[in-house]
């Protein structure tokens, strides 16, 4: 029985194909043997700096082979990695570090000042360049001793996501849940050492989990796609063709852009074999463009919130689909159960909409350093009164058809998926209300236009949009910034004194 995700590496690519290239990062390539050696040396470095076990260690580096080395080194040290976004505004970085309270932060020489400016102690920073000082023949016996103390319910990583009160949430994922998901992937899909992964998503995304352990277990090669290419779809496609990429796991937004530009007919991808997509709805019309252009490629729609180990349902797309036909999220992955509950916490009949809830090993451990928030989201299964059993309430509305397929039907609350990122709109409102001159605010999502839309009420004279943008840009990453602004003399209110969100939503619909 496998207890630690590192077994994928130790019994997989490190043993089966040590000389094969594991990572392509620009002009740099790293073999599995080199990756194994670097990771263990990094573990020795981390242990020497902090004698902790099962503790978070943050990685503040641009997407690169160095992140993989650091993450594996952290796991070999018996600790928990948490990859951070180097594009975060300073205040958000400070908020995450304060909440996460990592024992160490791994960064580079040219970014250490940013970590220190965020309030982190310089004495607890490891620069990736320090790895060169660790001898190749260091004593690694302590690594085995530490790994013997790690069990499958311990955390692997912490993924930081948006929180409604302005404090980001850290979702703790376990060895057990990761192993459960990856074993299902390996049993369901024929991945082997011939796979070349075109890695586009950030390494602080959960998509990275699948990419990483597919690489380590099966000997697949991760080709890191330069971030600059995302803004140039044609060059991105040319890169995929040049690198002979055979597997993609992407958020649909970029795929829609590629389809709209007609690039699928102009630039051929003869090596592509499998495409996973998740994170948001893929419009069927654009999916059909991909399917028509790449008829030998297998397309798979996956679904799962951050609180699930990567994903919990899947749909292998087969047969013809009309452009206006809704796309199913499929059926639960192995060892996962999806409940669709009504407002009375009873199982919804077939074809009746309710809240999608998940049970099984796929559930995250909860929110790091936040037991109250964990208790609200991970609750006792209302269908089971005989023994303790947690389910996760996703807040997504769904319906199950007679054939077992599940279809999403929107959100129960005000949490959205935008550009593949999960965002809680109240977090944006919380910061808008801190801007001088604004009396009230409501943030909605214009789904047809895919626009975060801010309605705001000035105290007196109107507050210029440029002032609001500047204030929010100092706090939020770009994908969380509103792109539509509506100043109102007074926001509409319900009889109970709350903002009439439905009325504002109808205003958006009528303006579409």
């Amino acid at each position: 029985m496998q207890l630690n995700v590192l077994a994928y590496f130790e019994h997989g690519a490190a043993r089966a194909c040590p000389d094969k290239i594991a990572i392509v990062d620009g002009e740099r390539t790293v073999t599995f043997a080199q990756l194994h050696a670097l990771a263990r040396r990094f573990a020795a470095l981390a242990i020497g700096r902090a004698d902790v076990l099962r503790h978070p260690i943050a990685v503040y580096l641009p997407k690169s082979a160095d992140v993989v080395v650091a993450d594996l080194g952290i796991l070999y040290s018996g600790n928990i990695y948490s990859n951070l976004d180097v594009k975060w505004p300073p205040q958000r970085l400070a908020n995450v570090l304060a909440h996460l309270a990592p024992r160490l932060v791994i960064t580079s020489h040219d970014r250490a000042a940013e970590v220190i400016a965020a309030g982190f102690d310089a004495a607890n920073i490891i620069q990736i360049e320090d790895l060169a000082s660790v001898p190749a023949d260091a004593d690694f016996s302590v690594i085995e001793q530490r790994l013997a103390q790690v069990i499958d319910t311990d955390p692997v990583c912490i993924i930081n996501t948006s929180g409604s009160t302005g404090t980001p949430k850290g979702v703790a994922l376990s060895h057990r849940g990761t192993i459960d998901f990856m074993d299902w992937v390996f049993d369901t899909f024929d991945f082997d050492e011939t796979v070349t992964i075109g890695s586009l998503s950030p390494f602080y995304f959960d998509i990275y989990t699948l990419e990483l352990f597919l690489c380590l277990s099966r000997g697949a090669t991760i080709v890191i796609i330069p971030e600059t290419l995302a803004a140039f779809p044609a060059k991105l496609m040319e890169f995929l063709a040049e690198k002979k990429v055979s597997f993609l796991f992407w958020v649909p937004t970029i795929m829609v852009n590629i389809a709209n530009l007609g690039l699928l007919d102009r630039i051929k991808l003869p090596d592509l074999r499998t495409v996973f997509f998740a994170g948001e709805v893929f419009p069927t019309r654009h999916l059909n463009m991909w399917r028509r252009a790449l008829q030998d490629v297998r397309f798979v729609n996956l679904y799962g919130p951050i609180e699930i180990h990567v994903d919990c349902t899947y749909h292998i797309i087969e047969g013809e689909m009309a452009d206006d036909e809704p796309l199913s999220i499929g059926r639960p992955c192995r060892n996962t159960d999806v409940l669709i509950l009504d407002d009375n916490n009873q199982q919804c009949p077939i074809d009746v909409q309710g809240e999608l809830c998940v049970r099984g090993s796929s559930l995250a451990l909860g929110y790091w350093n936040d037991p109250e928030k964990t208790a609200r989201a991970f609750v006792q299964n209302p269908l089971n009164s005989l023994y303790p059993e947690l389910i996760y309430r996703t807040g997504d509305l769904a319906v199950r058809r007679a054939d077992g397929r599940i279809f999403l039907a929107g959100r129960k609350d005000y949490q959205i998926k935008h550009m593949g990122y999960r965002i809680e709109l109240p977090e944006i409102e919380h910061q808008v209300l801190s801007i001088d001159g604004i009396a009230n605010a409501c943030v909605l999502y214009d789904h047809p236009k895919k626009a975060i839309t801010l309605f705001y009420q000035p105290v007196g004279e109107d507050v210029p949009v440029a002032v609001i943008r500047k204030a929010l840009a100092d706090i939020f990453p770009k994908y969380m910034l509103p792109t539509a602004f509506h100043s109102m003399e007074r926001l509409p209110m319900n009889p109970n004194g709350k903002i009439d969100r439905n009325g504002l939503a109808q205003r958006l619909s009528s303006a579409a």
Side-chain angles (χ1 to χ4, degrees):
M1 178 179 176
Q2 183 173 327
L3 305 179
N4 190 313
V5 293
L6 289 173
Y8 283 128
F9 192 25
E10 293 288 337
H11 303 299
R15 177 182 296 178
C17 48
D19 297 325
K20 186 175 182 291
I21 293 175
I23 306 169
V24 177
D25 179 10
E27 298 299 317
R28 180 186 180 189
T29 60
V30 182
T31 67
F32 286 104
Q34 291 170 333
L35 183 60
H36 187 259
L38 288 170
R40 288 167 68 84
R41 286 169 59 195
F42 195 93
L45 176 62
I47 293 168
R49 293 289 299 275
D51 187 15
V52 292
L53 192 65
R54 293 183 291 274
H55 205 86
I57 296 177
V59 179
Y60 187 70
L61 291 167
K63 182 178 179 179
S64 61
D66 285 335
V67 176
V68 180
V69 170
D71 290 345
L72 291 181
I74 291 166
L75 291 176
Y76 273 112
S77 75
N79 288 295
I80 311 158
Y81 71 81
S82 185
N83 295 334
L84 309 183
D85 183 1
V86 296
K87 294 181 180 177
W88 277 339
Q91 187 58 54
R92 189 168 183 83
L93 175 61
N95 289 345
V96 171
L97 289 175
H99 182 74
L100 193 63
R103 182 62 180 82
L104 299 169
V105 171
I106 316 305
T107 188
S108 57
H109 176 74
D110 60 343
R111 292 187 179 273
E114 298 170 24
V115 179
I116 296 169
F120 196 76
D121 189 348
N124 294 322
I125 292 175
I126 292 179
Q127 297 179 15
I128 194 69
E129 293 87 355
D130 295 342
L131 186 57
S133 66
V134 181
D137 60 349
D139 181 9
F140 298 119
S141 60
V142 66
I143 291 176
E144 305 305 325
Q145 297 168 10
R146 295 171 72 84
L147 292 184
Q149 300 177 66
V150 176
I151 62 175
D152 70 346
T153 51
D154 287 338
V156 167
C157 67
I158 298 170
I159 298 178
N160 301 285
T161 186
S162 178
S164 59
T165 62
T167 301
K169 293 185 292 190
V171 180
L173 303 180
S174 70
H175 287 265
R176 174 185 291 180
T178 304
I179 292 167
D180 186 61
F181 175 75
M182 291 307 306
D183 281 355
W184 166 78
V185 169
F186 296 141
D187 289 346
T188 306
F189 303 96
D190 53 347
F191 292 128
D192 58 25
E193 73 281 357
T194 65
V195 172
T196 300
I197 303 166
S199 179
L200 181 64
S201 295
F203 280 173
Y204 52 83
F205 243 31
D206 56 355
I207 284 176
Y208 169 60
T209 299
L210 187 149
E211 293 177 339
L212 177 63
F213 294 106
L214 171 56
C215 168
L216 300 180
S217 177
R218 291 300 188 259
T221 297
I222 293 178
V223 177
I224 295 177
I225 298 172
E227 291 184 6
T228 55
L229 292 187
F232 302 97
K235 292 183 178 179
L236 174 59
M237 291 281 284
E238 291 168 354
F239 181 88
L240 298 181
E242 175 191 346
K243 300 298 183 181
K244 301 185 182 301
V245 167
S246 62
F247 172 67
L248 303 177
F249 188 6
W250 286 4
V251 172
T253 298
I254 186 66
M255 300 175 70
V256 170
N257 291 340
I258 288 170
N260 283 335
L261 293 171
L263 298 175
L264 294 165
D265 296 324
R266 288 167 39 200
I267 303 171
K268 303 302 180 183
L269 301 175
D271 299 287
L272 192 59
R273 292 291 174 265
T274 306
V275 175
F276 285 8
F277 55 91
E280 60 188 9
V281 175
F282 197 161
T284 308
R285 181 170 69 90
H286 298 89
L287 173 59
N288 282 338
M289 294 180 186
W290 277 79
R291 295 182 69 202
R292 284 193 295 269
L294 298 160
Q295 297 186 17
D296 295 329
V297 173
R298 173 174 48 184
F299 291 87
V300 185
N301 184 22
L302 295 106
Y303 162 84
I306 295 291
E307 289 82 357
I308 302 299
H309 287 78
V310 190
D311 290 300
C312 58
T313 73
Y314 75 109
H315 177 47
I316 300 174
I317 298 163
E318 299 173 326
E320 295 295 321
M321 293 184 66
D323 283 353
D324 59 353
E325 184 177 340
L327 183 61
S328 171
I329 61 170
R331 296 172 172 80
C333 303
R334 184 184 63 197
N335 201 34
T336 292
D337 189 21
V338 168
L339 312 176
I340 299 178
L341 303 180
D342 62 20
D343 291 339
N344 297 315
N345 283 326
Q346 297 299 307
Q347 184 81 276
C348 290
I350 296 299
D351 294 332
V352 174
Q353 180 178 292
E355 182 181 6
L356 191 156
C357 302
V358 186
R359 72 184 188 99
S361 296
S362 61
L363 268 62
L365 296 171
Y367 300 117
W368 183 262
N369 194 24
D370 201 334
E372 292 182 2
K373 197 167 288 181
T374 298
R376 289 197 297 268
F378 297 84
V379 302
Q380 172 65 27
N381 181 358
L383 305 181
N384 174 13
S385 61
L386 301 178
Y387 58 87
E389 180 191 35
L390 294 182
I391 63 170
Y392 173 68
R393 307 195 73 115
T394 68
D396 285 327
L397 298 173
V399 62
R400 197 189 311 261
R401 302 303 183 198
D403 62 3
R405 290 185 302 158
I406 300 168
F407 291 81
L408 291 180
R411 286 292 304 169
K412 188 177 181 180
D413 52 22
Y414 305 122
Q415 188 184 90
I416 65 165
K417 282 282 186 70
H418 177 60
M419 297 175 66
Y421 294 88
R422 192 181 67 171
I423 299 168
E424 295 198 36
L425 298 179
E427 182 180 7
I428 303 174
E429 293 175 1
H430 178 79
Q431 297 297 338
V432 171
L433 291 171
S434 69
I435 300 172
D436 289 341
I438 292 184
N440 216 337
C442 178
V443 178
L444 299 178
Y445 191 59
D446 189 335
H447 286 275
K449 296 179 180 177
K450 293 189 175 183
I452 297 174
T453 303
L454 169 62
F455 294 90
Y456 66 99
Q457 177 182 320
V459 173
E461 294 184 2
D462 200 4
V463 180
V465 169
V467 171
I468 300 173
R469 280 200 185 105
K470 174 66 170 63
L472 296 181
D474 290 338
I475 298 168
F476 293 129
K478 188 175 181 180
Y479 62 81
M480 290 182 67
L481 298 178
T483 54
F485 298 78
H486 301 277
S487 176
M488 303 181 71
E489 184 176 343
R490 184 172 180 81
L491 294 185
M493 296 288 176
N494 290 325
N496 61 9
K498 295 182 179 180
I499 295 172
D500 182 9
R501 293 176 179 271
N502 289 333
L504 290 173
Q506 290 173 5
R507 171 174 169 160
L508 283 181
S509 299
S510 63

